[in-house]
């Protein structure tokens, strides 16, 4: 669902229980802030309970959902990092959340979320099935990455928060040229305002100061190359995405660097797995608090053999050496690198 639609639903106060998931975490924060402002107003309210699914216990969650306010006000319970809801596998908190969504309380608002890694992992058949079982007071939905309409609305809101007036064509223009997450967008708007220093903001200023990037598409490329079933096999889809990235202005050198970085991370995880490292050790190495993400990276890492890693590193080094020592066109070199990498799989 588009961000503007979810925002409208949250603003109309028609729902009591929300389970939202998105690739762009800042969009989840935007909806959360709407609820906070409407339900409790003051963040220090005694009726505001914030929980992190990576740190709290099932009992903590049950107690929160059974809390009654001592005052004449509604309660807001927030639960973040619910990645365990991505599949039908069992989890201690899953039954609690499912039961609550089927029967939400009138005097309590529940807001649960998780961030997925990219469009490839957006689909959630478990939650799609749960949607059909919950009443109208509960709302289960994924928030799409910003499209043109939602982007313009968010840009207008960001300027309004900064008390900056701009001509109507500027938010539309920024929405057309900017590529990135809403968190990146917020930072870029702040840079733009500082750059113009209270003066009129023109299209030339936007092009001079704002970053035009698309990290999300690069992450999708990495997930097409390195999959849970081994090296990607859909060469056509991979090359189409590379061409799209280059068309958007991404530098081939940057993409090659990110491919090499992902390969090194996966290899280190492979070594940890070979040493029977715990999930906590792998999470620490990946610098993540998400057990789901660590498990996913472990599956991708384990899908490649040490022989395949050896081939991949050799291919990467050869192409990086060519990039630095020859005059070959970098975009052509990038395509050669990717084709060579996906053809490095073991012959079984």
């Amino acid at each position: 669902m588009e961000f503007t639609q979810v925002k409208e639903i949250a603003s109309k106060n028609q729902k009591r229980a929300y389970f939202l998931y998105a690739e762009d975490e800042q969009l989840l924060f935007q909806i959360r802030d709407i609820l906070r402002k409407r339900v409790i107003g003051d963040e220090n309210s005694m009726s505001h309970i914030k929980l992190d699914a990576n740190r709290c216990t099932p009992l903590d969650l049950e107690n929160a959902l059974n809390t009654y306010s001592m005052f004449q006000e509604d309660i807001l319970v927030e639960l973040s990092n619910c990645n365990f809801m991505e599949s039908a596998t069992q989890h201690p908190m899953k039954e609690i959340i499912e039961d609550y969504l089927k029967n939400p309380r009138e005097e309590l608002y529940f807001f649960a979320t998780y961030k997925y890694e990219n469009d490839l992992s957006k689909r959630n058949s478990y939650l799609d099935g749960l949607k059909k079982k919950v009443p109208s007071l509960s709302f289960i939905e994924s928030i799409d990455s910003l499209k043109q309409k939602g982007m313009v609305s968010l840009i207008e809101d960001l300027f309004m928060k900064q008390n900056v007036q701009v001509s109507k064509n500027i938010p539309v223009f920024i929405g057309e040229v900017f590529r990135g997450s809403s968190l990146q967008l917020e930072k870029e708007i702040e840079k733009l305002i500082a750059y113009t220093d209270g003066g009129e903001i023109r299209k030339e200023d936007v092009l001079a100061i704002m970053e035009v990037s698309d990290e999300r598409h690069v992450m999708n490329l990495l997930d097409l190359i390195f999959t849970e079933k081994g090296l990607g096999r859909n060469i056509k889809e991979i090359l189409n995405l590379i061409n799209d990235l280059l068309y958007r202005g991404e530098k081939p050198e940057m993409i090659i660097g990110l491919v090499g970085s992902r390969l090194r991370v996966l290899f280190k995880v492979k070594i940890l797995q070979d040493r029977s490292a715990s999930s906590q050790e792998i999470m620490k190495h990946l610098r993540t608090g998400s057990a789901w993400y660590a498990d996913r990276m472990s599956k991708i890492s384990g899908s490649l053999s040490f022989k395949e890693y050896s081939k991949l590193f050799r291919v990467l080094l050869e192409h990086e050496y060519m990039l630095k020592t020859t005059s070959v066109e970098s975009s052509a070199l990038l395509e050669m690198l990717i084709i060579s990498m996906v053809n490095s799989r073991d012959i079984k």
Side-chain angles (χ1 to χ4, degrees), residues 90-334:
Q90 291 185 333
H91 189 280
M93 292 191 196
K94 181 172 285 187
E95 186 176 343
I96 298 171
I97 294 174
E98 182 171 336
D99 287 346
Y100 186 81
L101 291 172
K102 289 178 180 178
N103 188 26
R105 288 168 50 189
E106 287 282 350
E107 70 281 5
L108 185 146
Y109 286 85
F110 179 49
F111 185 74
T113 63
Y114 75 82
K115 174 186 179 300
Y116 56 81
E117 292 304 312
N118 52 57
D119 283 343
L120 299 176
S121 54
K122 173 182 176 179
R123 181 67 186 271
N124 190 320
S125 55
Y126 169 70
L127 288 175
D128 286 344
L130 185 57
K131 282 183 194 179
K132 303 172 184 177
K133 303 175 184 178
V134 300
S136 59
L137 284 177
S138 291
F139 182 61
I140 302 173
E141 196 59 69
S142 64
I143 305 179
D144 296 334
S145 295
L146 286 175
K147 295 181 173 62
Q148 181 69 12
K149 182 180 177 182
M151 181 78 78
V152 172
S153 174
L154 181 58
I155 293 167
E156 290 172 343
D157 287 347
L158 291 172
F159 278 122
M160 191 178 299
K161 286 180 182 178
Q162 297 284 347
N163 293 317
V164 174
Q165 291 186 339
V166 294
S167 60
K168 291 184 178 180
N169 67 322
I170 290 299
V172 175
F173 181 68
I174 292 175
E176 290 173 350
V177 301
F178 177 77
R179 297 291 182 272
S181 70
S182 57
L183 179 58
Q184 291 171 308
L185 175 61
E186 188 170 353
K187 293 177 180 177
E188 293 300 314
I189 293 292
E190 289 174 357
K191 280 166 53 179
L192 182 61
I193 292 171
Y195 176 74
T196 52
D197 194 26
E200 180 187 0
I201 296 177
R202 303 163 301 167
K203 291 182 179 180
E204 304 91 273
D205 301 319
V206 174
L207 295 175
I209 199 66
M210 291 190 74
E211 293 285 343
V212 180
S213 62
D214 199 339
E215 182 181 340
R216 173 168 51 86
H217 279 69
V218 177
M219 294 303 106
N220 286 348
L221 173 64
L222 295 177
D223 286 332
L224 284 175
I225 299 171
F226 305 106
T227 79
E228 292 184 8
K229 295 181 179 180
L231 293 169
R233 296 176 180 274
N234 195 331
I235 300 289
K236 183 178 180 180
E237 187 176 2
I238 293 171
L239 293 180
N240 284 341
L241 184 48
I242 287 174
N243 290 330
D244 185 51
L245 285 166
L246 296 177
Y247 176 77
R248 291 169 181 269
E250 298 291 2
K251 301 295 183 185
E253 295 84 355
M254 182 276 291
I255 299 174
I256 291 173
L258 287 175
V259 170
S261 178
R262 173 62 64 90
L263 179 60
R264 287 187 285 273
V265 168
L266 291 173
F267 183 64
K268 288 179 181 178
V269 173
K270 177 76 170 181
I271 293 174
L272 288 172
Q273 288 178 311
D274 196 52
R275 295 174 181 170
S276 301
S278 66
S279 296
Q280 291 297 323
E281 288 177 279
I282 294 175
M283 287 170 64
K284 184 178 180 181
H285 168 71
L286 293 172
R287 297 179 181 177
T288 180
S290 170
W292 170 86
Y293 177 68
D295 179 63
R296 184 169 179 275
M297 292 297 283
S298 295
K299 289 178 180 177
I300 295 172
S301 173
S303 70
L304 301 173
S305 68
F306 280 108
K307 184 178 179 181
E308 286 174 322
Y309 277 110
S310 178
K311 291 179 183 177
L312 289 167
F313 278 117
R314 185 164 57 249
V315 167
L316 181 64
L317 288 171
E318 289 173 353
H319 285 76
E320 285 186 339
Y321 179 77
M322 289 174 62
L323 181 65
K324 294 174 181 177
T325 60
T326 68
S327 59
V328 64
E329 186 179 351
S330 56
S331 58
L333 187 64
L334 171 61

Side-chain angles (χ1 to χ4, degrees), residues 26-37:
Q26 193 69 10
L27 300 181
L28 298 173
F29 295 158
Q30 294 273 342
I31 304 300
R32 177 203 65 189
D33 290 345
I34 290 173
L35 283 178
R36 283 182 178 180
K37 185 175 180 180

